[in-house]
């Protein structure tokens, strides 16, 4: 406390000699949201270093400043930033999407990197860029003692509550900012490893600060696990923490009160846990435990595991990111990511040609057959249905192609965004006269009706829908390809529907 007071006085004096008005404002800022979450704990004599005490602390995150441009792409610009967390200056980066906004905001909390080697913006670079490309403002705080942030003594001994304060302050600094492109109502958070622990601290102490959280290979929600793995062996940290607070058996209450797992009842927003099964740094049993405890506490939690993935995902990183995006889009952009079936009884009526079925005129489930090759989609059969069969857009999309094509009769190809990926989706054998004239369609909008069997409406095919999904935006009309390697350019529609 004495140290803090001295620092304050020093700033005050320094401030008076330069620009008194602004500097004075900085030493006595108003609190962001005084005691917002006091109600959630029955605060009594908690140790100052405890989650209950942290929840009642006054924060004054403010003064978000954009510094130099670090990188400029077509889709976003990367800035060096600083903001204030109590009397500290915290550095970081911000990726700002191109356009007017407002854009929802994601705060990314990086994992442990030795502050001696850490540099500005390090830790989640791939994720920062990905989310910015997808229309999120990304704020990545460096934390105190990292990069250009203020250095504080004893920062290793606070069991990460100092870093947690810096992240809470980042959110308040966004809320206080006058920059108009922030969608301040929609702020989410992703934390990796130690950053996942910081995120858990925030979820239980400031339940309404953010709207959704991803825990990516998070440290344990029981701080004892983390201390056993990394704290105890580090004499600069472990010995001092044990001297100040006592070991697990001596001070069980202290360790309980610094562990988010004991306060999961407070969590009010959806949580997505993403865990690699081969993570040697933060083992899967920790995520298992966190997930179980969240379920017991009634948290709206999804738990995804990724087979064979280590602490930082490699092979399944694209799937990991599209599931993060789907999760955040649903909550922060209120995007409807569910897709519907293009025709009734979609699955049960796929009974002749599946995805990848190989046909020739001599061997085919249908007679007569005029094609040869691997089937690029699925056929949904309606020979037995005489009334009109409507074909609907599976989600909103853009019309890439619509018209009559040999082998199909009427065809419409739509561009759809599914889980953050772009696909060209072909709906074939429609009555050409029924095709929509719109250039964009909403989910469930009628594209047309199936052509009548063995007429020019279907180019003399059965009454059925040929339905295929190809990543990208090609208007590729092929219903069959010659080799199995060409077939890899399409995906099995049943994987998405
Ligand atoms: Zn087909």
């Amino acid at each position: 406390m004495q140290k803090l007071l001295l620092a304050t006085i020093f700033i005050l004096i320094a401030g008076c000699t330069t620009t008194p008005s602004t500097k004075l404002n900085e030493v006595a800022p108003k609190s962001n949201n005084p005691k917002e979450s006091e109600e959630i704990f029955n605060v009594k004599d908690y140790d100052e270093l405890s989650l209950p005490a942290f929840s009642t602390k006054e924060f004054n995150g403010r003064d978000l400043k954009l510094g130099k441009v670090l990188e400029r792409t077509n889709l976003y610009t990367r800035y060096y930033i600083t903001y204030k967390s109590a009397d500290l200056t915290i550095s970081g980066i911000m990726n700002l999407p191109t356009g007017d906004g407002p854009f929802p905001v994601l705060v990314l909390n990086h994992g442990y990197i030795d502050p001696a080697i850490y540099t500005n913006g390090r830790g989640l670079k791939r994720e920062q860029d990905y989310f910015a490309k997808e229309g999120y403002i990304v704020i990545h705080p460096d934390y105190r003692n990292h990069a250009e942030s203020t250095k504080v003594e004893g920062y290793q001994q606070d069991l990460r509550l100092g870093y947690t304060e810096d992240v809470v302050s980042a959110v308040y600094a966004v809320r206080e900012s006058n920059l108009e492109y922030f969608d301040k109502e929609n702020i989410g958070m992703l934390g990796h490893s130690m950053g996942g622990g910081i995120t858990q601290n925030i979820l239980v102490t400031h339940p309404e600060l953010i709207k959704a959280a991803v825990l990516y290979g998070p440290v344990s929600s029981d701080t004892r696990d983390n201390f056993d793995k990394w704290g105890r062996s580090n004499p600069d940290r472990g010995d001092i923490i044990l001297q100040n607070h006592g070991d697990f058996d001596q001070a069980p209450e202290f360790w309980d009160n610094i562990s988010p797992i004991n306060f999961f009842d407070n969590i009010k927003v959806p949580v997505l846990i993403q865990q690699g099964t081969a993570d040697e740094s933060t083992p899967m049993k920790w995520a298992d435990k966190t997930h179980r405890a969240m379920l017991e506490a009634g948290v709206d939690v999804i738990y995804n595991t990724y087979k064979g993935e280590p602490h930082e995902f490699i092979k399944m990183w694209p799937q990991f990111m599209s599931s993060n995006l789907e999760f955040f889009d649903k909550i922060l952009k209120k995007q409807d990511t569910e897709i519907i079936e293009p025709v009734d009884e979609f699955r049960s009526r796929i009974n002749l040609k599946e995805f990848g079925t190989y046909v020739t005129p001599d061997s085919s489930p249908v007679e007569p057959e005029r094609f040869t090759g691997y089937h690029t989609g699925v056929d949904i059969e309606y020979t037995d249905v005489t009334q009109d069969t409507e074909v609907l857009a599976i989600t909103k999309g853009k019309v890439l192609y619509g018209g009559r094509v040999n082998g199909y009769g009427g065809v419409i190809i739509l561009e759809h965004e599914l889980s953050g990926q772009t696909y060209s989706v072909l709906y074939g054998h429609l009555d050409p006269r029924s095709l929509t004239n719109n250039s964009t369609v909403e989910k469930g909008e009628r594209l047309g009706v199936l052509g009548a069997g063995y007429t020019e409406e279907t180019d003399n095919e059965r009454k059925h829908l040929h339905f295929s999904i190809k990543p990208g935006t090609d208007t590729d009309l092929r219903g069959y390809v010659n080799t199995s390697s060409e077939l890899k350019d399409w995906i099995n529609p049943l994987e998405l529907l």
Side-chain angles (χ1 to χ4, degrees):
M1 193 59 212
Q2 208 166 19
K3 218 172 254 164
L4 193 71
L5 196 63
L6 284 172
T8 307
I9 290 164
F10 174 74
I11 291 167
L12 192 66
I13 292 165
C16 290
T17 60
T18 52
T19 47
S21 61
T22 57
K23 289 287 175 180
L24 279 170
N25 280 341
E26 281 180 16
V27 293
K30 68 181 198 304
S31 133
N32 292 115
N33 204 347
K35 316 214 166 171
E36 162 189 84
S37 42
E38 188 171 28
E39 301 293 305
I40 63 176
F41 292 107
N42 184 12
V43 183
K44 27 175 200 198
D45 258 350
Y46 282 108
D47 192 301
E48 198 190 334
L49 200 64
S50 71
L51 292 169
F54 185 81
S55 80
T56 63
K57 192 167 171 163
E58 293 191 6
F59 293 91
N60 50 24
R62 66 201 183 279
D63 215 7
L64 177 65
K65 284 186 182 142
L66 272 57
K68 61 177 182 271
V69 170
L70 302 171
E71 188 187 355
R72 208 185 278 281
T73 76
N74 291 338
L75 295 172
Y76 65 91
T77 305
R78 182 178 177 87
Y79 292 93
Y80 172 79
I81 57 163
T82 58
Y83 62 93
K84 290 286 187 180
S85 171
D87 57 343
L88 312 180
T89 298
I90 306 299
S91 62
I93 66 95
M94 181 174 105
N95 282 349
L96 176 64
T98 305
D100 296 334
F103 304 102
V105 182
L106 291 176
V107 178
L108 304 192
N109 302 334
H110 66 82
Y112 177 81
I113 299 171
D114 183 352
I117 62 159
Y118 179 92
T119 50
N120 172 244
R122 258 181 84 172
L124 291 162
K125 180 70 167 65
R126 290 185 299 176
E127 290 81 3
Q128 295 160 10
D129 295 349
Y130 180 100
F131 286 125
K133 286 179 189 160
E134 295 294 340
Y136 286 90
I137 295 177
V138 174
I139 304 234
H140 181 103
D142 291 329
Y143 315 140
R144 60 191 60 192
N145 291 69
H146 288 69
E148 277 65 70
S149 299
T150 309
K151 309 293 180 280
V152 179
E153 266 182 55
Y155 74 102
Q156 294 264 42
Q157 283 113 49
D158 67 8
L159 292 160
R160 308 308 187 205
L161 284 189
Y163 297 167
T164 307
E165 172 162 9
D166 298 338
V167 176
V168 172
S169 296
V171 176
Y172 281 130
V174 167
R175 286 195 187 166
E176 296 270 301
S177 166
N178 295 325
L179 299 168
E180 282 177 358
Y181 41 67
F182 287 119
D183 174 0
K184 297 177 186 176
E185 293 298 304
N186 289 297
I187 304 180
M189 190 172 281
L190 176 147
H192 181 224
S193 194
M194 177 186 80
I198 291 168
T199 308
Q200 295 179 55
N201 288 345
I202 291 172
L203 284 169
V204 301
T205 58
H206 292 77
E208 297 182 82
L209 191 70
I210 54 170
K211 275 198 158 169
V214 172
L215 307 176
Y216 164 30
V219 294
S220 180
S221 47
D222 185 341
T223 301
R224 293 174 180 87
D225 293 333
N226 306 323
F227 187 77
D228 271 340
K229 179 150 183 172
W230 297 292
R232 206 175 276 286
S233 56
N234 177 343
D236 292 338
R237 273 187 79 201
D239 293 351
I240 296 168
I241 290 171
L242 290 175
Q243 273 166 35
N244 290 346
H245 306 284
D247 211 328
F248 304 164
D249 52 346
Q250 299 158 323
E253 261 187 40
F254 170 79
W255 291 98
D256 282 346
N257 286 330
I258 197 75
S259 298
I261 194 168
N262 298 312
F263 303 102
F264 281 168
D265 284 349
N266 293 342
I267 299 178
K268 290 206 178 112
V269 298
V271 178
L272 170 62
I273 305 173
Q274 306 270 41
Q275 176 70 41
T277 63
D279 194 326
E280 288 176 0
S281 188
T282 55
M284 190 164 130
K285 63 179 181 195
W286 288 356
D288 290 347
K289 178 155 97 176
T290 295
H291 176 236
R292 264 198 313 276
M294 283 192 179
L295 281 181
E296 277 167 27
V299 177
D300 177 4
V301 59
I302 304 167
Y303 183 28
N304 292 338
T305 58
Y306 294 82
K307 193 155 183 251
E309 288 301 301
H311 193 50
E312 272 151 8
F313 290 1
I314 302 167
K315 267 181 147 165
M316 296 181 83
W317 188 84
Q319 289 95 314
F320 157 70
M321 287 309 288
S322 43
S323 97
N324 290 330
L325 188 67
E326 192 176 327
F327 174 75
F328 284 131
D329 280 354
K330 210 170 191 168
I331 301 161
L332 304 178
K333 294 187 183 171
K334 287 162 203 75
Q335 242 175 43
D336 181 4
T337 53
E338 307 269 304
I339 52 181
I340 62 160
E341 298 184 341
V343 282
D344 281 344
E345 301 169 16
F346 173 78
R347 259 169 200 271
S348 61
R349 286 181 173 274
I350 299 169
N351 46 35
L352 292 174
K353 292 183 187 170
E354 297 182 3
F355 176 74
T357 300
Y358 185 75
V359 304
T360 70
D362 297 331
S363 84
S364 170
V366 302
E367 285 262 319
E369 179 63 77
R370 49 183 170 152
F371 301 106
T372 298
Y374 295 90
H375 194 221
T376 58
V378 290
D379 284 354
I380 305 100
E381 305 294 333
Y382 279 88
T383 307
D384 59 315
V385 177
T386 50
Q387 56 275 54
D388 276 354
T389 303
E390 290 196 316
V391 179
L392 310 177
I394 58 169
T395 182
K396 72 172 178 186
K398 194 166 89 186
V399 177
L400 294 175
Y401 179 86
R404 172 188 280 283
V405 178
N406 284 344
Y408 284 110
V411 170
I412 193 156
I413 300 180
L414 299 185
E415 178 184 324
H416 290 307
E417 288 271 326
L418 305 169
S419 304
Q421 299 262 82
T422 304
Y423 295 95
S424 85
V425 177
L426 185 149
Y427 305 73
H429 306 298
L430 277 66
D431 177 355
R433 286 164 305 187
S434 73
L435 295 180
T436 178
N437 290 317
N438 295 342
S439 56
T440 60
V441 295
E442 292 304 313
K443 171 167 129 177
E445 188 170 322
R446 175 179 145 139
L447 303 175
V449 297
L450 288 183
Y454 310 107
T455 68
E456 62 175 25
E457 292 174 12
T458 51
D459 200 13
N460 290 310
E461 281 285 327
R462 310 164 329 275
K463 182 183 180 186
H464 75 281
L465 175 69
H466 174 91
F467 180 76
S468 71
I469 302 182
K470 189 179 186 192
T473 56
D474 287 356
T475 51
D476 191 331
L477 289 158
R478 286 177 295 169
Y480 298 87
V481 287
N482 292 330
T483 62
S484 57
S485 70
E486 285 174 281
L487 184 65
K488 291 196 181 108
D489 292 340
W490 280 262
I491 61 165
N492 186 345
L494 296 182
E495 282 174 18
L496 281 172
L497 280 155

